Amino acid sequence: MDTHNDAQWWKGTIIYQIYPRSFKDSNGDGVGDLNGVIEKLDYLQHLGIETIWISPIYPSPMADFGYDISDYCGVDALFGTLEDFDRLMNEVHNRGMKLLLDFVPNHSSNLHPWFLESRSSKDNPKRSWYIWKDAAPDGGPPNNWLAMFGGSAWQWDETTSQYYYHGFLSEQPDLNWRNEAVQEAMLNVMRFWLDKGVDGFRVDVIWHMVKDELLRDNPVNPDYTPEMATYNQLLPVFSTDQPEVHRIINKMRTLLDHYKDKVMIGEIYLPIQRLMAYYGQDDSGAHMPFNFTLLETPWDAKAIGLAIDQYEGALPAGGWPNWVLGNHDQHRVLSRVGAAQARVAAVLLLTLRGTPTMYYGDEIGMSDVKIPPNEIRDPQGLNMPEKGLSRDPARTPMQWDGTTFGGFSTCQPWLRLAEDHKDNNVASQMAYPQSMLNLYRKLIALRQSSPSLKYGIYRPVLANSQLLAYIRQAENAPGYLIILNLSDSPAPFLPPVNLSGEIIFSTNDAGVGEFLTQGFEMGANDATIVEIKERP
Ligand code: NOJ
């Protein structure tokens, strides 16, 4: 069994991501805010959530909806004030819950005072806080690097006749993390929020922070196909994931370790072997590099089983696993796997070994919402319209009740609500025992009361190709056998010899209270949890 203690609360918690624009609008401007989050803390507590991660709330021109920050130590008026933040912090802590902020160190807004200074002249002291380069001999950008949101990653700036680098929008210039003054300024930002009492950070695009010193051209991606984002034309081997980044992450970690019981989660989209380096040598990096395996693996029992084994097998000694089922950059889980399998996915997320991260609204089965072209707000969607890459569909307002604006707001929200919001919402699902919401509540309660599900080992169990089965077992605690049918037809399951147990949970409510039999058949789209015990 893994060791765990109070300082490692993040091993036994469940993280719930709030996209603040879309969670709850308390002041009737159509955009969610901090007081809205406070209003809904009781709901989260009722759901069983202990840790909230809130996407950026800082002052921002909102070119990338808060991921372009113009003041790292404030709150955007759209979301409230620093006093509202303090109140939120207290309300969270009074409930015994934790609050994680989104820290965005890779880039600021182009309207951040640091960048305004930096661009003002070549000899400004902040010049080297960003990445400036002369044009190539032909007048074009200094190298071939591409921006995530389309086009070259270099923006020509007339004032000083140089290019600056931006890995995302041109409104998001990358900070130069090779500069120690930048490092110190950003560590001070972390100190500011840690002193206020936040419990840790989700660190945005942590693997982008350092770039090749020589700014060498990225190689061509031989696997590029036209439906991919243009960014994928090249392999970002020189613009991301540089070895020097680990020293910087270690500085952040050292700072966190000076405070008590804080956690750092890194956002990293990399193949598993590269991802593992972000735990750092001897636990000196991020506590949890986000694991996006479930977002990237085809929804197929064999593929998922293999991906889990690969991830478990690649973890460094002492590295704590984590699993993510959705976030504000991805399609909703229900739209990826379908309504029936969304329940199976919930069981998977909440019974795997490692801290689960849920995305707001997934607990009521919110799906991607079709946004008409003239209502698209996401810059990724607007910049590459022919590719259908807008992230708006997964960012629509939370569906609280059946009133006109879904209980989210008193006016037309910034992004349209799902058409089904009148029937499909928190209020209607609370009242219906078989709802997705009640399924999540049950699973969360089970996980949080069970040492085996929180901390126990993961052991795969052989099953036919439609099924994924595994055991979770901690010492001196009841163990569980979990059987998931990832297909839409029934499948026989042969329990391991000498294993007996009682079915305590099924998404189809099938067989609950009965003992597992040799000729056990899993229903289509069913997920079953068996408590391992002797037959009476
Ligand atoms: C990752 C965030 O999750 C995404 O929403 C954002 O657009 C980029 N980083 C740029 O900050």
Side-chain angles (χ1 to χ4, degrees):
M1 186 167 84
D2 282 278
T3 52
H4 50 90
N5 54 43
D6 283 352
Q8 296 175 328
W9 56 268
W10 44 271
K11 290 186 175 178
T13 199
I14 296 173
I15 300 172
Y16 183 98
Q17 181 191 355
I18 291 179
Y19 194 66
R21 293 182 75 85
S22 298
F23 197 59
K24 168 70 190 169
D25 171 19
S26 74
N27 62 353
D29 62 1
V31 179
D33 45 49
L34 294 182
N35 284 326
V37 176
I38 296 174
E39 273 180 40
K40 295 300 180 185
L41 287 178
D42 288 344
Y43 162 76
L44 293 174
Q45 203 172 23
H46 178 75
L47 181 58
I49 296 299
E50 291 163 352
T51 301
I52 300 165
W53 149 37
I54 184 161
S55 285
I57 51 166
Y58 319 102
S60 164
M62 301 288 165
D64 188 20
F65 296 109
Y67 285 94
D68 50 319
I69 296 166
S70 52
D71 172 5
Y72 284 101
C73 296
V75 170
D76 196 285
L78 203 54
F79 296 129
T81 61
L82 266 178
E83 289 68 45
D84 295 332
F85 176 82
D86 290 338
R87 217 155 54 80
L88 170 65
M89 184 92 266
N90 282 335
E91 293 281 344
V92 166
H93 285 162
N94 288 343
R95 287 172 173 78
M97 295 161 76
K98 308 274 188 189
L99 183 65
L100 308 180
L101 284 187
D102 212 313
F103 181 51
V104 188
N106 179 67
H107 45 268
S108 71
S109 158
N110 61 336
L111 298 184
H112 194 294
W114 296 342
F115 188 71
L116 296 179
E117 276 193 55
S118 184
R119 89 189 314 177
S120 66
S121 77
K122 278 187 178 165
D123 53 14
N124 185 281
K126 296 244 164 31
R127 184 65 170 183
S128 59
W129 282 41
Y130 293 84
I131 302 169
W132 292 95
K133 275 280 150 200
D134 287 336
D138 66 357
N143 69 18
N144 71 351
W145 294 359
L146 298 172
M148 275 272 191
F149 295 148
S152 167
W154 295 96
Q155 176 68 34
W156 179 249
D157 198 50
E158 286 296 342
T159 323
T160 53
S161 294
Q162 274 195 320
Y163 282 93
Y164 68 85
Y165 176 73
H166 59 90
F168 295 86
L169 294 174
S170 59
E171 291 91 340
Q172 295 168 296
D174 279 44
L175 281 153
N176 175 16
W177 274 85
R178 291 181 183 274
N179 181 329
E180 298 226 339
V182 169
Q183 296 180 13
E184 200 39 43
M186 291 302 273
L187 290 175
N188 279 338
V189 171
M190 294 179 102
R191 288 187 184 100
F192 175 85
W193 294 105
L194 289 166
D195 288 341
K196 280 199 170 291
V198 303
D199 299 290
F201 301 98
R202 172 266 190 190
V203 185
D204 191 65
V205 296
I206 202 168
W207 85 112
H208 279 244
M209 285 172 55
V210 180
K211 295 64 164 147
D212 176 45
E213 196 141 34
L214 303 175
L215 302 180
R216 281 169 283 187
D217 273 353
N218 279 327
V220 166
N221 176 7
D223 299 324
Y224 176 75
T225 53
E227 56 299 342
M228 293 178 180
T230 50
Y231 177 78
N232 296 305
Q233 288 169 345
L234 304 178
L235 296 170
V237 294
F238 291 114
S239 49
T240 63
D241 193 28
Q242 298 301 294
E244 297 94 322
V245 78
H246 298 291
R247 275 209 303 275
I248 289 169
I249 296 173
N250 176 248
K251 287 192 181 180
M252 295 177 171
R253 171 64 186 267
T254 308
L255 172 66
L256 251 72
D257 287 348
H258 277 129
Y259 289 77
K260 259 185 71 202
D261 307 350
K262 307 298 179 190
V263 68
M264 171 160 56
I265 304 170
E267 186 208 18
I268 304 151
Y269 286 90
L270 282 175
I272 273 183
Q273 295 75 0
R274 306 290 316 167
L275 177 72
M276 293 306 166
Y278 287 77
Y279 280 98
Q281 288 267 302
D282 304 322
D283 190 25
S284 61
H287 297 95
M288 291 189 284
F290 259 149
N291 166 20
F292 297 131
T293 301
L294 297 179
L295 302 172
E296 292 164 342
T297 310
W299 201 249
D300 164 87
K302 271 172 104 173
I304 300 267
L306 188 65
I308 296 169
D309 291 346
Q310 282 174 343
Y311 177 75
E312 280 274 351
L315 282 167
W320 183 250
N322 74 91
W323 297 93
V324 177
L325 201 54
N327 65 38
H328 64 294
D329 295 328
Q330 306 293 332
H331 294 293
R332 287 267 179 195
V333 58
L334 188 134
S335 299
R336 294 199 314 272
V337 305
Q341 283 293 320
R343 289 174 176 250
V344 178
V347 179
L348 177 65
L349 176 75
L350 293 164
T351 57
L352 279 173
R353 188 178 83 95
T355 305
T357 297
M358 308 168 40
Y359 183 49
Y360 86 93
D362 282 352
E363 75 273 25
I364 53 166
M366 280 174 63
S367 53
D368 279 2
V369 175
K370 205 168 158 36
I371 307 289
N374 61 338
E375 291 178 22
I376 295 180
R377 305 286 305 268
D378 175 26
Q380 179 168 276
L382 291 170
N383 289 0
M384 292 172 276
E386 69 293 352
K387 309 228 178 197
L389 294 174
S390 168
R391 297 166 295 178
D392 293 335
R395 297 176 174 181
T396 58
M398 181 70 176
Q399 297 153 211
W400 293 107
D401 61 34
T403 59
T404 315
F405 301 113
F408 165 73
S409 179
T410 50
C411 68
Q412 189 61 45
W414 73 284
L415 200 56
R416 64 164 59 202
L417 278 146
E419 262 170 28
D420 71 351
H421 75 267
K422 286 213 178 326
D423 305 316
N424 187 25
N425 54 59
V426 169
S428 66
Q429 292 205 17
M430 286 250 191
Y432 174 52
Q434 265 72 38
S435 67
M436 183 75 113
L437 182 59
N438 281 318
L439 174 106
Y440 264 94
R441 271 195 68 204
K442 252 189 252 169
L443 287 167
I444 291 171
L446 177 65
R447 182 180 183 95
Q448 296 315 80
S449 62
S450 152
S452 288
L453 291 178
K454 269 180 162 176
Y455 305 117
I457 55 144
Y458 168 89
R459 187 147 54 87
V461 167
L462 191 68
N464 89 357
S465 61
Q466 288 159 268
L467 305 179
L468 181 63
Y470 46 91
I471 287 172
R472 298 293 318 286
Q473 179 75 66
E475 272 169 45
N476 305 321
Y480 297 92
L481 165 70
I482 295 106
I483 316 156
L484 312 174
N485 186 347
L486 271 74
S487 78
D488 57 7
S489 57
F493 175 72
L494 195 64
V497 261
N498 296 335
L499 186 144
S500 58
E502 182 189 336
I503 298 172
I504 57 157
F505 174 94
S506 151
T507 47
N508 295 353
D509 281 336
V512 173
E514 291 170 17
F515 263 72
L516 197 62
T517 54
Q518 278 303 306
F520 186 70
E521 183 167 87
M522 279 291 292
N525 300 308
D526 191 18
T528 291
I529 303 178
V530 177
E531 184 179 325
I532 300 170
K533 53 162 99 153
E534 299 288 324
R535 256 181 196 284

